[in-house]
Amino acid sequence: MVSVEFHQQCMRLALREAERAAEAGEVPTGCVIVRPSQHSIEVSPRVLARAHNQTEMLKDPTAHAEILAITQAAAALGDWRLTDTILYVTKEPCAMCAGAIVLARVPLVVWGLSDPKRGGHSVFSILNHEGLNHRPEIVAGVLETECREMFQAFFREKRGLKEELK
């Protein structure tokens, strides 16, 4: 069983990645994928991947934090199956990312901010669709306030810049 404190510790790592995205003008989504210690999950996770959105920088619509982190984690493990991992992301994965999570066999997905308008789970039920062969466990709302504040500040600033240019 993973403690709330462990989830918060790992989500803070994802929030740092989200800050990097915001600083680069990207939507502030950050993701980390960890592999818990075999001896005790509470000791220290092995961070397999850290990523943030890079769609603008790479001019690539698939360069979401989760996709980039899944690619890194697969390379680190030498296997596309990310069993025995936990994926932490600041905002609920979109449909594309949720599909990649299912295909990668990630057993546990933890996010901060749910996305009831575009979420791959909230709207499309991809992460728990009974027709799929893998359905990860989900923990939502970890450090939700911090994740929400980061998103709101980012978009407030973007709107403010647009207003100044008028």
Side-chain angles (χ1 to χ4, degrees), residues 71-146:
T71 300
Q72 288 176 27
L77 293 174
D79 192 348
W80 60 269
R81 293 171 196 87
L82 302 183
T83 57
D84 301 321
T85 65
I86 305 172
L87 183 145
Y88 292 88
V89 63
T90 54
K91 186 179 74 62
E92 177 182 350
C94 70
M96 173 184 68
C97 293
I101 289 165
V102 169
L103 292 173
R105 311 294 196 269
V106 175
L108 177 58
V109 179
V110 181
W111 67 74
L113 182 62
S114 291
D115 187 353
K117 292 183 180 178
R118 293 169 294 281
H121 178 69
S122 295
V123 177
F124 301 102
S125 300
I126 293 168
L127 296 177
N128 67 352
H129 193 281
E130 62 187 46
L132 297 173
N133 65 333
H134 176 73
R135 291 179 292 283
E137 290 184 46
I138 297 164
V139 176
V142 175
L143 299 182
E144 181 176 6
T145 300
E146 292 90 331

Side-chain angles (χ1 to χ4, degrees), residues 13-32 50-69 72 88-94 96-97 115 118 150-151 154-155:
L13 297 175
L15 278 164
R16 283 191 209 127
E17 286 299 316
E19 288 172 10
R20 292 180 65 200
E23 289 167 2
E26 300 276 358
V27 173
T29 302
C31 181
V32 297
R50 300 171 191 260
H52 56 274
N53 278 4
Q54 295 182 40
T55 56
E56 297 297 333
M57 182 183 82
L58 297 176
K59 308 294 185 232
D60 180 354
T62 69
H64 289 197
E66 300 95 322
I67 299 294
L68 298 171
Q72 288 176 27
Y88 292 88
V89 63
T90 54
K91 186 179 74 62
E92 177 182 350
C94 70
M96 173 184 68
C97 293
D115 187 353
R118 293 169 294 281
M150 183 172 294
F151 268 85
F154 176 81
F155 287 109

